[in-house]
Amino acid sequence: MSAAAVTAARHLAESDEPRSLSWRRRQLTGIREMLTADADQLAEALEADLAKSPAQAQLTEIGVVLSEIDHTLKNLESWARPRSLDVPLFLRPASARLQPEPLGVVLIISPWNYPVQLCLSPLVGALAAGNTVVVKPSEIAPHTSAALAELLPRYTSADAVQVVEGGVEETTELLRHRFDHIVYTGNGHVGRIVMRAAAEHLTPVTLELGGKSPTWFDDDERLEAAARRIVWSKFTNAGQTCIAPDYVLTTPDRVQPLTQALQKACRQMFGRDPRRSPDYGRIVNEKHFDRLAAALQEHTSANRAGAGATVAFGGAQDRAQRYFAPTVVHSPAPRRGARGLALTAGARGDDALMAEEIFGPILPIVPVDSAEDAVELIRAGEKPLALYVHSASAQTRELFERRTSSGSIVHDAGLVQAGAATIPFGGVGESGIGAYHGEASFRRFSHDKPVVEKPYLPDTLSFAMPPLGRIKRALLKKLM
């Protein structure tokens, strides 16, 4: 099936049809119609896979893509317009321009945590740039995968979007084919596999890989407001968000007040028993539930003998329902070793909760002595996909902006950067390669082809052609 899908997409890509703006607009308006006419079907699939309520489905998935489509349709003509370039004096008279053209066939391997948004958002950009697309939805969100496989061909032109369902075997088979660009959202292990496969065909990639996104807090005057925003950005989708705050750094004297404010915010948003809240999701499957339960158990056990990591609140679990309560953990202060501060825990060193991205509703609070120590700790690890700063100090904000590197940095909020079509979304280093959204998507999935025109008259190139006598050499030296 994958071979047929790639062949059909390639055949259409090599025709002139996708190059026309009218064809591109038809694809985008078709997807827009799908998101409105069949919103209920998509919402039901999201509820079955992740227990997302219709409101959460609209807010975090469908609405984000609709906004992206509207922004793209509004600006598509200007983005596709050739852009003039300056020509150096020694080449004049001449003109030059950059002409955006489609790359060809794009492969999108989408994840399970936001299976509509993170499939359709790059799809919008790829189609807007005039490409055909092969989509591989995640098998871990099977209901959403089936819904997309049914709906996308119905609302887009024949062969414009090929949907290939399946698991590892189908993805591996797809990666054997040549594409003109590959988009993968997920973890670094699979990202490396994708990149190796792409290298066989010298195919460029966009990788969105996540990581341990830290939060700094020292804004005492806005403690409760900051806590509400941290809770919302952490526990949306039960923490299964690649840009969710992974852990909070703050000074020791602020740990307890912040904990109390976080607990109050959780009760305000999800009630005293979050399992009854329609706005609180579930872990996607038992495998990921067991991973989170084991990581929490390991983290608290590893520290029981010393200063100790303790569950400040939450921790309730129901495997049968895949329910994992919003949980805040007090972690021990990081150790200072030969290489400086590091996120280690207990005598056994790194544990799963602090060494790897949590990707679930567990939020450790890690005490550090100062913002400078927080920066040192962040710099000791891999570059995160996002970094959040809650500080009233302009000096502290500037410190994090200047001395850390991350896919994005957000002050006084979380998640918001991923929902704006005008803001490029992407990682750096271990957290990813490349960015998309809005115009960044159009540029990502286009080739800006230089087009140069040099008239025969006046024939100034003759000055560069042999024989190069004294007069020509002098003139060329002056012009260049």
Side-chain angles (χ1 to χ4, degrees):
M1 180 179 178
S2 61
V6 176
T7 299
R10 178 69 62 190
H11 180 74
L12 178 59
E14 290 175 350
S15 72
D16 286 337
E17 194 175 3
R19 292 177 175 268
S20 72
L21 292 186
S22 60
W23 182 91
R24 305 181 197 189
R25 290 192 186 97
R26 284 199 305 274
Q27 312 319 308
L28 300 185
T29 54
I31 295 173
R32 196 187 198 292
E33 184 182 352
M34 178 189 81
L35 291 172
T36 52
D38 288 293
D40 289 346
Q41 181 177 344
L42 291 169
E44 288 170 5
L46 290 166
E47 185 172 15
D49 288 329
L50 290 154
K52 288 192 180 185
S53 67
Q56 287 292 321
Q58 185 65 39
L59 176 67
T60 66
E61 303 256 14
I62 296 170
V64 173
V65 182
L66 285 172
S67 176
E68 179 102 8
I69 293 172
D70 290 345
H71 177 73
T72 302
L73 286 170
K74 179 181 178 182
N75 294 281
L76 180 58
E77 186 172 353
S78 64
W79 295 343
R81 192 176 296 136
R83 307 193 303 283
S84 296
L85 298 173
D86 288 333
V87 177
L89 180 62
F90 68 89
L91 285 181
R92 295 177 187 173
S95 64
R97 64 185 184 272
L98 286 178
Q99 175 67 61
E101 66 176 11
L103 294 175
V105 182
V106 175
L107 171 63
I108 297 174
I109 306 173
S110 59
W112 54 262
N113 58 326
Y114 290 87
V116 171
Q117 181 201 148
L118 295 179
C119 172
L120 299 186
S121 182
L123 176 62
V124 168
L127 291 171
N131 301 281
T132 59
V133 184
V134 177
V135 170
K136 170 58 184 67
S138 174
E139 73 280 8
I140 299 176
H143 298 87
T144 308
S145 177
L148 291 171
E150 175 192 343
L151 295 174
L152 278 170
R154 190 192 305 171
Y155 285 94
T156 54
S157 299
D159 299 333
V161 181
Q162 303 284 328
V163 182
V164 177
E165 290 194 276
V168 174
E169 183 179 346
E170 287 75 14
T171 305
T172 302
E173 176 59 31
L174 270 175
L175 288 170
R176 293 193 179 101
H177 296 278
R178 180 177 69 84
F179 292 93
D180 299 289
H181 197 98
I182 298 175
V183 183
Y184 168 75
T185 304
N187 62 65
H189 172 70
V190 177
R192 287 171 169 81
I193 295 173
V194 171
M195 201 166 183
R196 281 194 292 268
E200 289 297 315
H201 303 286
L202 296 179
T203 299
V205 296
T206 298
L207 304 178
E208 306 299 347
L209 305 177
K212 295 189 74 64
S213 296
T215 294
W216 167 257
F217 171 80
D218 68 7
D219 194 347
D220 300 323
E221 291 188 7
R222 294 181 290 187
L223 169 63
E224 292 198 356
R228 283 181 59 81
R229 294 190 175 189
I230 293 170
V231 163
W232 176 73
S233 55
K234 175 62 180 181
F235 297 118
T236 290
N237 201 34
Q240 299 165 117
T241 306
C242 59
I243 54 171
D246 193 85
Y247 59 99
V248 177
L249 297 166
T250 191
T251 55
D253 59 305
R254 292 184 171 98
V255 170
Q256 198 57 43
L258 178 59
T259 301
Q260 293 171 354
L262 292 171
Q263 186 169 26
K264 179 180 178 181
C266 278
R267 288 176 178 171
Q268 289 173 337
M269 293 185 199
F270 306 119
R272 291 189 174 273
D273 186 1
R275 80 184 67 209
R276 298 184 179 182
S277 170
D279 297 315
Y280 189 72
R282 297 296 184 268
I283 306 306
V284 67
N285 58 26
E286 287 80 7
K287 177 182 177 181
H288 283 277
F289 181 94
D290 292 343
R291 173 184 62 81
L292 290 166
L296 180 62
Q297 174 65 29
E298 179 183 359
H299 188 66
T300 53
S301 298
N303 290 279
R304 203 165 284 159
T310 59
V311 176
F313 67 84
Q317 303 166 25
D318 184 341
R319 190 177 188 273
Q321 298 296 318
R322 294 181 283 122
Y323 168 76
F324 204 114
T327 302
V328 169
V329 175
H330 287 168
S331 293
R335 293 181 173 183
R336 184 173 293 279
R339 297 184 179 181
L341 290 176
L343 278 176
T344 58
R348 293 188 297 165
D350 287 351
D351 62 56
L353 198 62
M354 301 309 292
E356 302 172 0
E357 182 180 5
I358 295 170
F359 219 73
I362 306 170
L363 181 64
I365 301 178
V366 181
V368 291
D369 290 336
S370 65
E372 288 76 10
D373 280 355
V375 167
E376 181 182 348
L377 185 64
I378 293 167
R379 286 167 61 97
E382 299 291 350
K383 297 176 181 179
L385 185 55
L387 192 157
Y388 304 112
V389 178
H390 294 267
S391 178
S393 165
Q395 183 178 1
T396 298
R397 292 177 180 229
E398 194 272 339
L399 172 71
F400 282 95
E401 289 181 19
R402 177 172 49 86
R403 297 200 57 219
T404 65
S405 178
S406 57
S408 61
I409 186 166
V410 180
H411 297 288
D412 300 334
L415 305 189
V416 294
Q417 75 277 27
T422 55
I423 301 174
F425 174 73
V428 59
E430 190 78 9
S431 61
I433 298 171
Y436 65 92
H437 277 186
E439 185 174 3
S441 288
F442 183 87
R443 303 298 172 202
R444 174 65 48 183
F445 302 120
S446 298
H447 167 58
D448 281 335
K449 179 169 64 179
V451 179
V452 182
E453 296 182 15
K454 173 67 175 167
Y456 280 104
L457 294 174
D459 189 9
T460 55
L461 274 181
S462 63
F463 290 104
M465 298 176 182
L468 298 176
R470 181 176 57 84
I471 295 176
K472 282 187 178 182
R473 291 199 304 269
L475 182 60
L476 287 171
K477 183 177 181 181
K478 184 174 183 180
L479 287 174
M480 297 183 70

